[in-house]
Amino acid sequence: MELKEKAKVVITVASLVAVTILFVTEYRRRRQRRKQTSSLSSCYLHSELKPQFCFKRVLADNSYSEFKHLKLVDASSSSLEKPSNGHPYETEITVLLENPQIEFGFLRGECSLEMSDSYVWVETESQLKELAEILAKEQVFAVDTEQHSLRSFLGFTALIQISTHEEDFLVDTIALHDVMSILRPVFSDPNICKVFHGADNDVIWLQRDFHIYVVNMFDTAKACEVLSKPQRSLAYLLETVCGVATNKLLQREDWRQRPLSEEMVRYARTDAHYLLHIADSLTTELKQLATEDSSSPDDRFHFLLEASRRSNMTCLQLYMKETEDFPGSAASSSIIYRHLNGHGDKSNISLNAEELVRKLCAWRDLMGRIHDESTRYVLSDQAIVGLSCKQPTTTEEIYDTIAHIDLATESSPSLSSSVQSPYPVICSHLDDIYKMILDKLAKLDDLLPVVLKKCLGTNGTCPISVFNYSLLVNFKTKLSSHSAPKQNGHKNFKQQFTRKASRELFVKKFSCKAPVYHNCRIYANDGRLLCYCDKRKLEWYLNRGLAKLVEENPPAIMLLFEPKGRPEDEGNDFYIQTKRNICVGCGEGKHYLRYRIIPSCYRVHFPEHLKSHRSHDIVLLCVDCHEVAHAAAERYKKQIATEFGIPLFVRRVLDSKEAQGTSSLVEDESTGDSEDAGVSPLHLRSAAMALLRHGNRMPSSRREELLQTVKMYYGGRDLSEEDLEKALLIGLSPHERRKLERKKGVSFKHSAEVAGMDKQEDENNDGEALADFEKIMTVERSTVVDDSGDGTSEGDGAKELNDTQCNGNTLHQQNSKLSLLGHGPHGKQIVEYLLREHGEDGVRDFCQRWRKVFVDAVHPRHLPGGWNVSHSGRRDFGEFSVYNPTKRLSTE
């Protein structure tokens, strides 16, 4: 019994101690919280010195201005033709692409795989100059970089590892940030090969931080691609080639810390030290594979040449700041789509919550720029969703909500355990979130200027640094040029909700359901890369015995005949670039649609050698960018129509069977001397549809009005149901007719008679224009009403239609796929005029005008390499091409 009593006493005491500890801990936490939230006038940066704040100058600051690339003072006269913000060493890299320098070894004699304990830590300007002198004497050296992104908005390079045959160098780029240009000459020297592994990011980081541009590179990751290695990571190569294991988790360490731990130093040295040996080993494999793969020297596949070309193509990449219409708009759209519309409790979702998401994302974006912090260090996506749905009403509730959500989701496992959520930015500016939730700053475009003034204005709470200084200069420009949509009243919220629902439906229905670019490769019989293409094109060559398979993943073939043309004949490298399945405008990768920069109504009438298998002017766009591009194209079509005097739409149609006694159904505008002869195709179809569906139920006066409209087409005679059904199909292409017939509530007993006349022509025509029309038919028809209903059609435009028989029998027989409700007849006349007056040069100039319209409207930041406004587009047809004129004639 005594033992039981003692046990009870011990348990009671332990419970009291535990409760006391919990109370004390909670008291201290609340006291610390009050201390943090009460000192809103003081920013945490006053007491925390971030390493990057010692930089005297940064090339990529946190403002909304675009990044300015290096301009060479002693550039040749030919460089004047380059874009103002183009690659300063494009000429040198292009020379290497055309004449690769691969006749050298990566190693000098025997090389030990043992890594000694000695290395050189470079942290002074004099040491950096000595390193530059050493590298200038080398023929090849290896490079790797370590990046820090958590505590920086754009990120910065914290360490560069360089290895020669004799020594390893670790360059402290934090201490030497402002003088790193000392290394620029050796990195841009085309006579010195730089060995990287997976250099896509390294190249743009060096440009962003130091204006260092890599010229002449060998990327071991590209060599792995050519060799079809099962894995292409550096860890795989280190283990299989060098027998060295490395801990890649160290890549996530805080590389700002000084001094680096012994483990981090060894990891950093390992990444660069063994690269020369790996490159030498892979080069040997590439040469050996080329020998084994070929039965004769003429059939040899130049694997090493291809690896070198791919590596140097990486050098042409240019760093660009990511921009968006309004601060945080991309993040808010993503959060709303993922969290509020796809997951979670639907009862918590409201339009007010969506608006708060936008405000919090905009505020987070600005706070990240002001304090040079990544957005995930400011406020997590999960915390934004929680605040928007719960909408706490006190600062303490806000603090607890953020802390509990981040703790539950473990949203930032890479953060130091000493830094707990909410993070310092939130603690210093908690009052901003409080005001946003209470909607004291009602308009989104009012919120950011107030916050910016509070942080960086006179007597601002936050210190001004080299990263945020230009925000004060550029912020007004950003807001004025990209103002946020107004959010006033329930009506606007409802309109936005409806628009969002329509947008999602459009994305689901029309976006590409599978990747568009397969990035399969076609090589010439001498090993030169001809183009990237999809799998269907490879199968076409393989099934006809015109090529052999040289790689399986990703597939690649070598042609067994001499192709007619080469990429260099085109004047650019567009067709030998890999292409990403993302929107070329904003980089959206979750959905995209094909967009034809040159509208199909023109392109379908181009000469075959200017359009067949030419993908230069077909790009991927997200719905938002597609809408912008299409609106600009529609406006420019109207300018074209005015410039050439050729209207966009057929104004009037008349059944020439009634007017002229012909035996076939024809749409003709020339019948009769009066401009009032005939009826608009759109009005004719609308009237026929209304009469077929509701004729018996509509008022007699309205019914008679619609009957008169249809009678104008038939010359005033009495109408039958068959006439109404035929009228409903006037002006439609066969594709549009089939689509209309599938609609519920309409049955066409006589449609076969109308559609049969051009069935054969439709089967032989390219379906490109029809696919495009299906996507934008609604928009074009809305334009028909505006264009045909203004009563301002001039005689010149009508006369041009008559002269070219655009609405007559010739058009309908030879171009059955063209809809009279669309822009097909207009496009045909424009192209015919250009060819007649200016030849093919006129068509090329016309294409360049359209590309300029696209670039000015969308401001694309992710166009494939080699894309150019002045692209010629011409191609020749080889012996086996289905587009070869002699081959086509022989098959007819």
Side-chain angles (χ1 to χ4, degrees):
M1 293 295 294
E2 291 182 1
L3 291 175
K4 289 184 178 180
E5 291 296 331
K6 288 182 179 180
K8 287 182 180 180
V9 172
V10 170
I11 293 173
T12 302
V13 171
S15 300
L16 291 173
V17 170
V19 171
T20 303
I21 292 174
L22 287 175
F23 272 113
V24 171
T25 303
E26 181 66 16
Y27 171 77
R28 289 179 177 176
R29 189 175 71 87
R30 288 180 178 272
R31 185 178 178 183
Q32 179 67 18
R33 182 199 312 167
R34 284 194 297 270
K35 181 179 179 181
Q36 290 173 330
T37 57
S38 62
S39 59
L40 296 177
S41 60
S42 177
C43 179
Y44 71 100
L45 291 180
H46 289 293
S47 57
E48 179 184 345
L49 180 61
K50 301 178 71 173
Q52 61 264 43
F53 285 176
C54 297
F55 300 163
K56 295 180 180 178
R57 178 174 177 263
V58 291
L59 300 172
D61 57 38
N62 296 337
S63 69
Y64 298 98
S65 58
E66 68 175 11
F67 181 80
K68 295 181 179 180
H69 281 276
L70 176 69
K71 290 186 179 180
L72 298 179
V73 178
D74 58 343
S76 62
S77 58
S78 62
S79 66
L80 298 176
E81 301 175 0
K82 298 178 183 178
S84 59
N85 209 24
H87 200 297
Y89 297 97
E90 182 177 357
T91 302
E92 290 83 350
I93 297 173
T94 303
V95 171
L96 288 172
L97 289 171
E98 296 173 353
N99 303 291
Q101 300 178 5
I102 55 176
E103 298 303 324
F104 62 86
F106 291 101
L107 296 177
R108 292 198 296 261
E110 294 294 327
C111 177
S112 174
L113 291 181
E114 293 295 328
M115 188 170 67
S116 66
D117 294 332
S118 64
Y119 66 94
V120 179
W121 179 262
V122 182
E123 60 180 349
T124 66
E125 186 174 349
S126 60
Q127 288 178 308
L128 190 64
K129 289 179 179 179
E130 291 178 11
L131 174 60
E133 293 175 0
I134 293 173
L135 297 179
K137 299 174 184 177
E138 295 289 334
Q139 193 177 17
V140 59
F141 60 85
V143 187
D144 191 30
T145 66
E146 301 300 338
Q147 167 92 352
H148 180 79
S149 59
L150 177 62
R151 298 296 307 276
S152 176
F153 188 77
L154 295 176
F156 60 89
T157 304
L159 188 72
I160 293 181
Q161 306 98 278
I162 298 176
S163 291
T164 65
H165 294 94
E166 290 80 19
E167 208 154 15
D168 298 333
F169 301 88
L170 300 184
V171 183
D172 185 353
T173 53
I174 296 178
L176 297 171
H177 180 277
D178 298 320
V179 294
M180 284 298 298
S181 59
I182 293 173
L183 293 182
R184 186 181 302 145
V186 294
F187 274 86
S188 59
D189 189 341
N191 297 313
I192 303 175
C193 180
K194 278 67 68 174
V195 180
F196 285 79
H197 180 87
D200 299 79
N201 288 328
D202 298 302
V203 165
I204 60 176
W205 290 341
L206 291 173
Q207 295 174 10
R208 176 197 64 193
D209 295 335
F210 316 118
H211 269 172
I212 289 178
Y213 297 81
V214 182
V215 180
N216 191 355
M217 174 201 296
F218 186 83
D219 190 335
T220 52
K222 301 298 182 185
C224 286
E225 289 181 6
V226 176
L227 290 168
S228 299
K229 292 283 187 181
Q231 296 183 38
R232 297 165 190 175
S233 68
L234 181 56
Y236 167 79
L237 291 176
L238 286 169
E239 186 172 353
T240 57
V241 178
C242 306
V244 175
T246 182
N247 181 12
K248 276 299 176 181
L249 292 178
L250 290 171
Q251 189 176 27
R252 301 180 182 179
E253 289 294 314
D254 186 354
W255 289 94
R256 301 174 305 160
Q257 63 176 283
R258 297 292 184 269
L260 296 176
S261 66
E262 183 178 343
E263 189 179 18
M264 293 173 70
V265 168
R266 184 168 186 83
Y267 169 83
R269 290 183 60 199
T270 300
D271 277 2
H273 177 83
Y274 294 98
L275 269 183
L276 294 180
H277 180 79
I278 291 172
D280 189 74
S281 175
L282 294 177
T283 303
T284 302
E285 287 188 52
L286 289 166
K287 293 177 180 178
Q288 183 179 359
L289 188 61
T291 304
E292 295 174 352
D293 187 68
S294 61
S295 56
S296 66
D298 294 335
D299 193 34
R300 180 172 298 173
F301 184 80
H302 294 281
F303 290 93
L304 181 57
L305 177 69
E306 177 58 22
S308 176
R309 284 173 58 83
R310 293 191 196 183
S311 299
N312 282 308
M313 286 303 302
T314 304
C315 298
L316 284 174
Q317 292 184 132
L318 280 175
Y319 172 72
M320 295 183 69
K321 278 187 181 180
E322 293 185 6
T323 58
E324 48 192 348
D325 288 340
F326 196 80
S329 61
S332 61
S333 299
S334 175
I335 291 174
I336 290 171
Y337 181 80
R338 288 186 290 112
H339 294 278
L340 301 185
N341 293 329
H343 308 281
D345 184 3
K346 295 286 184 179
S347 62
N348 292 332
I349 300 173
S350 66
L351 293 175
N352 288 333
E354 293 188 19
E355 177 63 8
L356 185 54
V357 167
R358 294 187 179 93
K359 288 183 179 181
L360 289 172
C361 286
W363 178 86
R364 179 179 68 171
D365 180 270
L366 184 58
M367 282 295 159
R369 294 175 188 272
I370 291 174
H371 300 84
D372 195 38
E373 303 282 9
S374 64
T375 54
R376 61 194 173 111
Y377 189 83
V378 177
L379 188 63
S380 67
D381 288 354
Q382 292 82 358
I384 289 178
V385 173
L387 291 172
S388 302
C389 293
K390 188 176 180 180
Q391 298 193 8
T393 56
T394 66
T395 54
E396 287 193 354
E397 289 181 3
I398 294 172
Y399 189 100
D400 286 336
T401 299
I402 297 172
H404 291 159
I405 290 175
D406 285 345
L407 182 62
T409 57
E410 295 182 354
S411 60
S412 300
S414 60
L415 294 178
S416 172
S417 58
S418 61
V419 181
Q420 297 181 352
S421 175
Y423 308 121
V425 180
I426 296 295
C427 296
S428 298
H429 302 277
L430 198 57
D431 190 53
D432 291 341
I433 299 179
Y434 174 74
K435 290 181 178 179
M436 280 187 285
I437 293 177
L438 294 185
D439 207 22
K440 292 184 177 181
L441 295 171
K443 294 182 180 179
L444 184 58
D445 50 0
D446 286 344
L447 168 67
L448 301 184
V450 171
V451 173
L452 184 66
K453 182 179 179 181
K454 175 183 175 183
C455 293
L456 298 180
T458 307
N459 300 322
T461 60
C462 305
I464 294 180
S465 71
V466 67
F467 289 93
N468 61 30
Y469 179 77
S470 56
L471 274 172
L472 295 170
V473 179
N474 297 312
F475 193 72
K476 276 189 177 179
T477 306
K478 176 71 177 176
L479 289 178
S480 61
S481 60
H482 299 289
S483 58
K486 296 191 179 294
Q487 313 287 338
N488 297 327
H490 175 73
K491 182 178 180 180
N492 284 347
F493 280 126
K494 185 175 180 181
Q495 289 176 349
Q496 288 183 4
F497 181 81
T498 304
R499 177 177 174 81
K500 178 168 64 65
S502 301
R503 178 184 182 277
E504 292 174 358
L505 181 63
F506 189 90
V507 169
K508 183 178 181 180
K509 184 174 182 181
F510 291 115
S511 62
C512 299
K513 304 302 186 296
V516 175
Y517 301 123
H518 299 161
N519 289 320
C520 303
R521 288 152 293 154
I522 297 181
Y523 295 99
N525 51 10
D526 62 354
R528 296 296 296 272
L529 178 64
L530 291 177
C531 67
Y532 285 87
C533 64
D534 60 14
K535 294 180 180 178
R536 289 180 300 174
K537 190 168 185 177
L538 294 194
E539 293 170 356
W540 188 91
Y541 284 104
L542 292 172
N543 293 338
R544 289 162 176 78
L546 301 176
K548 64 178 180 179
L549 188 68
V550 294
E551 283 189 38
E552 293 185 356
N553 188 26
I557 61 172
M558 178 189 287
L559 300 182
L560 300 178
F561 59 92
E562 177 60 29
K564 183 69 175 177
R566 299 296 180 103
E568 50 266 29
D569 299 336
E570 306 258 346
N572 62 59
D573 290 323
F574 173 79
Y575 292 103
I576 56 174
Q577 304 288 325
T578 57
K579 297 172 181 64
R580 302 170 62 190
N581 288 290
I582 62 173
C583 168
V584 301
C586 64
E588 170 65 53
K590 295 180 180 178
H591 76 271
Y592 39 80
L593 304 84
R594 290 182 180 89
Y595 178 78
R596 290 166 176 79
I597 295 174
I598 302 166
S600 294
C601 64
Y602 305 110
R603 189 175 183 271
V604 72
H605 301 293
F606 285 0
E608 204 70 61
H609 56 273
L610 293 181
K611 67 178 180 180
S612 66
H613 286 220
R614 301 289 85 182
S615 60
H616 180 273
D617 296 315
I618 302 176
V619 297
L620 301 182
L621 291 179
C622 66
V623 168
D624 297 325
C625 292
H626 191 286
E627 183 178 4
V628 172
H630 181 68
E634 290 301 304
R635 290 193 297 269
Y636 196 65
K637 280 183 184 178
K638 292 183 179 181
Q639 294 183 31
I640 294 291
T642 303
E643 177 183 342
F644 288 87
I646 300 175
L648 286 175
F649 298 95
V650 175
R651 303 299 181 182
R652 296 182 180 277
V653 291
L654 182 64
D655 183 9
S656 59
K657 183 178 179 180
E658 299 296 333
Q660 302 175 359
T662 59
S663 59
S664 61
L665 181 64
V666 188
E667 291 84 22
D668 192 3
E669 190 179 26
S670 59
T671 303
D673 298 330
S674 172
E675 291 185 1
D676 294 333
V679 64
S680 161
L682 183 66
H683 293 165
L684 173 64
R685 292 187 60 253
S686 299
M689 176 67 79
L691 289 169
L692 282 172
R693 285 186 170 179
H694 313 293
N696 296 330
R697 299 192 299 274
M698 65 176 55
S700 58
S701 58
R702 176 59 177 165
R703 185 174 186 276
E704 184 61 28
E705 180 183 348
L706 296 178
L707 283 172
Q708 290 302 319
T709 299
V710 180
K711 285 181 179 181
M712 290 175 66
Y713 173 75
Y714 286 107
R717 66 172 175 81
D718 292 336
L719 304 176
S720 64
E721 183 178 353
E722 178 182 353
D723 292 329
L724 293 178
E725 290 187 358
K726 289 181 178 180
L728 190 59
L729 301 176
I730 296 303
L732 296 182
S733 67
H735 174 83
E736 294 171 89
R737 291 172 183 168
R738 291 191 296 268
K739 184 178 179 181
L740 186 64
E741 289 170 0
R742 289 195 297 266
K743 286 187 176 181
K744 295 180 179 181
V746 180
S747 176
F748 302 111
K749 301 175 183 177
H750 312 282
S751 60
E753 176 186 345
V754 181
M757 68 174 72
D758 44 28
K759 178 180 180 182
Q760 185 63 38
E761 290 81 46
D762 179 56
E763 291 175 353
N764 295 330
N765 280 324
D766 187 292
E768 181 182 353
L770 303 181
D772 189 71
F773 181 85
E774 181 180 4
K775 295 179 182 177
I776 62 176
M777 184 167 59
T778 305
V779 180
E780 288 189 338
R781 285 180 179 172
S782 65
T783 313
V784 173
V785 179
D786 298 335
D787 190 50
S788 61
D790 56 8
T792 59
S793 177
E794 297 179 2
D796 292 342
K799 185 176 187 298
E800 182 70 15
L801 285 173
N802 296 337
D803 292 342
T804 58
Q805 293 183 307
C806 181
N807 304 325
N809 194 26
T810 303
L811 170 74
H812 201 68
Q813 288 182 352
Q814 296 182 2
N815 297 278
S816 60
K817 68 181 175 183
L818 297 183
S819 166
L820 296 186
L821 302 179
H823 301 161
H826 159 83
K828 180 176 185 292
Q829 294 173 83
I830 293 291
V831 175
E832 287 178 346
Y833 173 82
L834 292 172
L835 291 172
R836 183 173 64 249
E837 298 296 328
H838 307 287
E840 292 183 3
D841 288 339
V843 175
R844 292 191 186 95
D845 292 340
F846 187 68
C847 292
Q848 292 179 18
R849 292 171 62 178
W850 277 105
R851 294 180 191 126
K852 184 71 165 54
V853 169
F854 172 76
V855 170
D856 291 343
V858 180
H859 303 292
R861 306 191 304 277
H862 302 276
L863 283 168
W867 192 95
N868 199 315
V869 171
S870 58
H871 178 75
S872 67
R874 181 183 175 85
R875 68 166 297 183
D876 295 322
F877 300 110
E879 176 185 356
F880 300 101
S881 173
V882 296
Y883 294 102
N884 189 314
T886 58
K887 188 178 181 69
R888 299 186 76 173
L889 288 174
S890 63
T891 58
E892 291 179 356

